[in-house]
Amino acid sequence: MRGAEGAGMSRIVAALLRILIALSLAAAAFPGPAFGDDRSSSPPARADSLRRGGRWALLPIVFNSPDTRLAFGVLPQYIFYTAPGTRPSAARLDAYYTQNRQFHVIVRPQIWLPGNAWRLAGKWSFKKWPTSFYGIGTESLAEAEERFTERLADLTFEAQRQLYPGLFAGLKYSFRYGKIVDIEAGGLLEDGAVVGSAAGHASGIGALVSWDTRDNVNFPAKGSLFQASATFYGGVLGSDYRLDRYSLDLRQYLTLTGRHVLALQAIATLSTGELPFRMLPGVGENLRGYGSMRYIDNDCLVLQAEYRIVPIWWRLGLTVFGGVGEVAGRMADFSFDRPKWAVGIGLRFLLFTEERVTIRQDFAFGRDASGDYLDLNEAY
């Protein structure tokens, strides 16, 4: 769960307490040998997991904020195999509920069919949740913050067929219905000056192609994931908005020595047309340390790197990471005079040794921003 912006030792202490509780529960529930030097999941291990019918990961979360008061969350994830020799599939649920009767539920399945012939994935999100709007563009100010609550139904489905070992291509569909409520008085959202401040649908269909040679989908130690997609929204699909979105996600994983892994990522998201402000890409979507709405615009570029040592001892590991990002109204307007940078450090607990599923706690600091993140699986 992304932390609220703002630095403070109390937040770090609270986050450390959360991860210690989570690690204690995980250690009690999943005892076993530590992750060894052999990083591959052998066919006998996958067959054993298949016979067991899969396994569960469970991460409980408790937090407090002025907007939510006391809040509770649970992150269960089911890991399974559709056939021996196939990559591990997963079905994950993130569910949060607060004392203010707010909620956020996210379902994220990713299924690899036998022989990795097809990859099926989706993200289905439903929420009534408080958020902040700071304006659009790279020069938006923290002082311009406007609070609002969003009621959202967001559905995405992807299907890709393997055409050649490592090469996948397919289609995607995206649907989004959003309504902004509880708007702060006197702001741009209340005036209706921002596209998307009123209720509306966005419906789009697109194509995607991937080159995927990762040795493991949960914690890659070597290989690449290069993915490009284009999605088109329009009235013929029942959309209230006409827009096109193009994205490129490039990831490279390098084993430096032993258990030391360097993970690199470059992301570009380009958009044209009439975008509701909640669909504008932002640096905080991928660069830890920034809220997802802090810097948003039509186009966004992010570069980041992470050095991972997992484990250092028993099932515990450490990471350090950093990156830069920027947004612009169009490609020609990009300027990196004052890039949005972020650096951080993270703790890891190896939950499953075969599938390399981790619990991560990250502390990130950026330009006038910071955040802590407790989650399952790696950031990328």
Side-chain angles (χ1 to χ4, degrees), residues 124-138:
W124 310 319
S125 177
F126 307 90
K127 71 177 180 179
K128 177 187 175 184
W129 200 261
T131 314
S132 289
F133 174 67
Y134 300 90
I136 297 172
T138 186

Side-chain angles (χ1 to χ4, degrees), residues 26 115 221 302 352 358:
V302 171
F352 297 148
T358 56

Side-chain angles (χ1 to χ4, degrees), residues 153-377:
D154 190 2
L155 312 175
T156 300
F157 177 76
E158 300 176 356
Q160 292 188 83
R161 167 74 173 175
Q162 184 167 216
L163 306 178
Y164 179 82
L167 179 62
F168 297 81
L171 299 175
K172 65 181 294 186
Y173 174 73
S174 179
F175 172 85
R176 186 184 193 281
Y177 172 77
K179 182 178 182 180
I180 307 303
V181 299
D182 300 333
I183 300 174
E184 187 172 310
L188 295 175
L189 297 180
E190 184 186 44
D191 292 341
V194 180
V195 176
S197 55
H201 300 80
S203 178
I205 191 169
L208 63 162
V209 60
S210 303
W211 174 254
D212 189 352
T213 61
R214 295 172 295 172
D215 62 331
N216 186 281
V217 296
N218 297 314
F219 192 103
K222 59 182 178 180
S224 308
L225 174 60
F226 303 151
Q227 181 165 285
S229 68
T231 311
F232 308 98
Y233 299 79
V236 68
L237 298 170
S239 179
D240 295 327
Y241 309 98
R242 297 180 59 87
L243 62 111
D244 303 331
R245 168 168 286 184
Y246 308 90
S247 65
L248 187 64
D249 186 348
L250 308 177
R251 309 180 191 184
Q252 183 69 48
Y253 303 92
L254 306 170
T255 298
L256 302 181
T257 176
R259 300 165 184 172
H260 298 241
V261 175
L262 178 63
L264 306 171
Q265 184 182 41
I267 295 177
T269 304
L270 311 176
S271 310
T272 61
E274 182 187 33
L275 279 77
F277 77 99
R278 288 297 285 124
M279 290 184 66
L280 292 171
V283 297
E285 292 180 4
N286 296 285
L287 198 61
R288 283 159 285 180
Y290 295 89
S292 61
M293 292 289 292
R294 184 60 187 90
Y295 294 103
I296 58 174
D297 213 326
N298 288 339
D299 300 340
C300 179
L301 298 176
V302 171
L303 302 173
Q304 58 182 338
E306 181 165 297
Y307 188 87
R308 303 167 178 169
I309 311 173
V310 180
I312 293 178
W313 170 79
W314 186 50
R315 293 173 179 254
L316 300 178
L318 180 70
T319 70
V320 292
F321 55 88
V324 294
E326 191 56 282
V327 296
R330 56 178 185 165
M331 283 293 293
D333 295 334
F334 268 104
S335 173
F336 285 88
D337 293 338
R338 299 183 74 246
K340 313 307 179 285
W341 56 267
V343 296
I345 188 169
L347 305 175
R348 296 294 182 270
F349 179 82
L350 188 67
L351 195 58
F352 297 148
T353 60
E354 295 171 13
E355 294 83 5
R356 288 184 266 171
V357 173
T358 56
I359 296 174
R360 65 180 177 95
Q361 173 71 70
D362 292 332
F363 306 95
F365 305 89
R367 182 188 295 276
D368 301 322
S370 65
D372 62 84
Y373 307 77
L374 178 60
D375 208 342
L376 288 171
N377 303 322

Side-chain angles (χ1 to χ4, degrees), residues 32-51:
F35 178 29
D37 289 327
D38 183 5
R39 294 173 176 268
S40 63
S41 296
S42 64
R46 288 195 292 265
D48 183 57
S49 294
L50 185 64
R51 287 195 299 271

